[in-house]
Amino acid sequence: MMMRLPRHRKQISDANFLAINDLLEAYGVAAMKRDELREQLMPDPTVIEEYEDRCQKLEDDIIKMLAGVSPRMVR
């Protein structure tokens, strides 16, 4: 996620609370599955699109959450 959101690298690395960790983990799982699907010989474009949408929604949620992070929630 730090590569996808370079402006937020510091916030992501300093964030230490369950909600952001859960979103980051969910993004990682979805991105890995999306990449696996893309590598298939005959990938199903509908399924790939679902995972691309899922990744984008998680990315958006992470950005929204980081925008509302209180300094108390950071290491």
Side-chain angles (χ1 to χ4, degrees):
M1 185 53 53
M2 289 184 199
M3 290 173 54
R4 291 279 304 145
L5 304 172
R7 283 186 23 206
H8 299 282
R9 277 188 188 134
K10 176 96 170 97
Q11 279 182 293
I12 292 169
S13 72
D14 290 347
N16 189 22
F17 54 99
L18 187 58
I20 192 78
N21 291 336
D22 287 348
L23 284 174
L24 292 169
E25 184 175 342
Y27 178 85
V29 169
M32 286 183 354
K33 181 63 176 176
R34 177 202 60 205
D35 294 346
E36 287 174 13
L37 291 167
R38 286 177 177 169
E39 292 175 5
Q40 291 179 348
L41 290 176
M42 299 191 63
D44 181 343
T46 305
V47 176
I48 291 175
E49 186 175 334
E50 287 175 24
Y51 275 91
E52 288 174 349
D53 289 344
R54 184 176 299 170
C55 288
Q56 185 60 56
K57 287 176 185 173
L58 287 164
E59 227 176 274
D60 294 343
D61 289 346
I62 290 167
I63 291 170
K64 286 177 196 171
M65 186 171 290
L66 290 172
V69 170
S70 162
R72 293 184 328 228
M73 299 178 95
V74 179
R75 285 184 218 154

